[in-house]
Amino acid sequence: MSTLFTLSILQSALELGCIYALVALALFLSFSILNIADLSTDGCFTLGCAVGAMVTLSGHPVLALFAAAVAGVCSGFVTAFLQTRMGVPSILAGIIVNTGLYTVNIAVMGFSSNVNLFACDTIFSLAKEKLSYGWYADWYKLLIVLVIVIILGVILSLFLNTRLGLSIRATGDNEHMVRASSINPLFMITVGLCLANALTALSGAVLGHYQKSCDINLGTGMVTIALASLIIGETLVGKGSMFRKIAGVILGSCLYRFIVALALRLNVPAEALKLVSAVIVAVAISFPYLKEKSSFYRQRNHNRNAYREEESVNVSH
Amino acid sequence: MLVIESVSKTFNPGTVNEKKALDKVSLSLEDGDFATIVGSNGAGKSTLFHAITGNFYVDEGRIILGGEDITYCKEHVRSKMIGHLFQDPLKGTAPHMTIEENMALAYLRAATNRHAYFSRISAKEKKKFREQLALLDMGLENRMKQPVGLLSGGQRQALTLLMATMVTPRILLLDEHTAALDPATADKVLALTEKIIAKRRITCLMVTHNMHQALSLGNQTLMMDGGRIVFHVSGEERKHLTIEDLLEQFKTRSGKQLDNDRILLSR
Ligand SMILES: Nc1ncnc2c1ncn2[C@@H]1O[C@H](COP(=O)(O)OP(=O)(O)O)[C@@H](O)[C@H]1O
Ligand SMILES: [Mg+2]
């Protein structure tokens, strides 16, 4: 195992896990809580990365993160507007926005499909200057992403217990109840999607800083990957307090990255990774269903065998 | 005070499924009135409630609640003043949220300022919720951190009742809210309903298929058929009415027998 998993592999898996955990948290909000499959996630991730990269290029790496989050809020607002005010079905609203975002993203990057940040400061290079002495010198990247994901995780879990947060949760939990109480479900969906997309875009921006580049196809398949992380987390950590669920989502994201790292380590070619991801998602999503099914078959066979035994006893008499 | 002035509603107009569910319904209730409603299947009882809560906008007529014209008022705005219980006990509460969180949501109705949005449930509120739950006498006050999905149907309906009346509504709409419960639980929830309504003098409309309840509860009885109110009785006249009289009235006024397959003639 030690040869399979070197410390540096573990470290980069954790780093990526924390960065992508923000998208998983976004889907936790939109998919698990609001019960909406937000398919604009891919484009929004790239949007965050592109906006973040451009602001970083102009010399404001920290501001870049905030700018990316604001761009995410705008994207989420459009998706929400389409489904709450224009009668567009939620899946379609996401697909429409995702398609539109492709052009927006290219435009943000100055009509090029690629931007690199090698020549300028990023949050990581800034941190490296500050943290270059001591035992943590090699761990500064992980420290930064950990701090970001922990702060946002705590804020999210606190938020979901405020009255606004409770109203958002109720909106996804019981439509009838929400109609009968004084909650405006359209407003709650809008707030929820804006927040979720802010997290997605922020994740994109941090990833841009991490790999010092932004590519127009960066977000492809992001929604699948984040869903996989989300479900791995939910399956492993299960139910409990909001805090626990959120910790589970972050854990799921890190685990997913371990699985990918392991696959790469086993010489699975990089081109095959998308397929590996898809298989992981398919397995992860069907797992609860298959579990139920298999317990049904076990029960059925058990009952059948019981009858058979009974019959054979009757025959022998 | 609730005034409904010749309200009509047609579903799916202009199609083969066209259905006139409310046909010039007029009704007026004073503060503190408690009216029971009986009627045939598909008479429009639930639809009348949905018209009041704003589930859809009516085609014609006016609805005035507490002196305020709410005919074109949005559903979530009206629901601040209206309590609504459904037959299905699962509809009134959010199953994956705790008892405490559900109550906090119901209590949002009382919030007047927007800053309340970012506040969390305070210790004072928790205490208040606990006291109110204790009144139900179901032991729920010790389970406030549990998800509502773990409760029985009767417990959920009792909780919904508590939530609907936590902030006194201008009108309480009960749509066969005990029909899906087992008889003992139904009695308990009904007793609780009567207690809360009497204590707080809540104006109330209650649909029932129990003819005995229709006459014994409240101070008025309405009978509906084909989207209209065919009989409305109150006061002295109602006191002397028997179930047989009521059925007879329905027959003469609507021209047919009361055909509700679930109707209960005795208690
Ligand atoms: N949303 C709707 N769309 C179409 N038809 C409806 C709708 N709601 C109710 N109806 C029809 O209106 C009639 C009255 O229904 P309802 O008010 O539920 O009857 P009940 O008196 O049994 O509660 C029924 O024929 C029903 O099928
Ligand atoms: Mg009904």
Side-chain angles (χ1 to χ4, degrees), chain B residues 45-46 87 175-176:
Chain B
K45 307 178 293 288
S46 300
Q87 179 180 339
D175 196 349
E176 303 197 49

Side-chain angles (χ1 to χ4, degrees), chain B residues 9-12 17-22 39-50 55-56 175-176 207 224 227 260 262:
Chain B
K9 176 70 190 179
T10 304
F11 287 113
N12 308 314
N17 291 324
E18 180 169 309
K19 170 79 196 176
K20 188 148 201 172
L22 292 178
S40 35
N41 294 324
K45 307 178 293 288
S46 300
T47 306
L48 177 64
F49 281 9
H50 284 136
N55 195 288
F56 51 76
D175 196 349
E176 303 197 49
V207 174
M224 285 187 74
N260 186 325
R262 288 180 306 152

Side-chain angles (χ1 to χ4, degrees), chain A residues 36-289:
Chain A
I36 292 172
D38 180 6
L39 295 187
S40 71
T41 301
D42 292 8
C44 185
F45 186 80
T46 314
L47 175 72
C49 190
V51 169
M54 295 321 275
V55 179
T56 306
L57 271 180
S58 68
H60 303 284
V62 177
L63 185 68
L65 299 189
F66 290 96
V70 171
V73 169
C74 296
S75 160
F77 183 81
V78 175
T79 313
F81 188 83
L82 286 176
Q83 55 182 287
T84 57
R85 313 279 165 186
M86 310 292 282
V88 181
S90 69
I91 300 242
L92 198 52
I95 294 176
I96 292 173
V97 170
N98 196 46
T99 307
L101 277 177
Y102 186 86
T103 310
V104 173
N105 293 342
I106 289 257
V108 167
M109 294 195 283
F111 291 96
S112 116
S113 61
N114 214 305
V115 169
N116 78 64
L117 303 175
F118 288 106
C120 60
D121 270 338
T122 65
I123 50 167
F124 294 105
S125 67
L126 288 182
K128 193 177 179 183
E129 286 166 18
K130 299 241 159 57
L131 302 176
S132 55
Y133 308 102
W135 60 269
Y136 42 76
D138 291 335
W139 296 86
Y140 69 97
K141 281 187 180 172
L142 184 57
L143 267 176
I144 298 206
V145 291
L146 260 181
V147 166
I148 293 179
V149 80
I150 288 176
I151 290 179
L152 288 174
V154 169
I155 291 179
L156 185 62
S157 97
L158 289 176
F159 170 74
L160 287 172
N161 283 318
T162 62
R163 285 191 167 67
L164 183 57
L166 291 179
S167 305
I168 291 177
R169 286 163 59 194
T171 301
D173 202 14
N174 189 346
E175 187 203 325
H176 294 284
M177 174 207 184
V178 168
R179 282 166 163 275
S181 40
S182 59
I183 301 168
N184 180 0
L186 305 185
F187 178 67
M188 295 308 153
I189 289 176
T190 307
V191 174
L193 284 183
C194 286
L195 286 181
N197 282 282
L199 285 170
T200 304
L202 182 63
S203 176
V206 176
L207 187 76
H209 282 196
Y210 183 80
Q211 59 185 31
K212 291 204 173 84
S213 69
C214 176
D215 181 274
I216 188 68
N217 293 318
L218 189 72
T220 311
M222 193 52 60
V223 71
T224 323
I225 292 169
L227 266 181
S229 313
L230 182 65
I231 290 162
I232 293 174
E234 276 178 2
T235 314
L236 289 182
V237 176
K239 298 181 172 66
S241 67
M242 192 46 71
F243 191 76
R244 189 181 152 152
K245 282 184 197 158
I246 285 177
V249 174
I250 297 171
L251 190 75
S253 175
C254 292
L255 252 156
Y256 179 85
R257 288 294 142 188
F258 280 128
I259 299 172
V260 171
L262 189 69
L264 285 175
R265 189 74 181 156
L266 293 172
N267 288 329
V268 175
E271 299 80 41
L273 264 188
K274 283 261 147 69
L275 183 60
V276 173
S277 307
V279 170
I280 292 174
V281 175
V283 171
I285 294 192
S286 52
F287 184 74
Y289 175 79

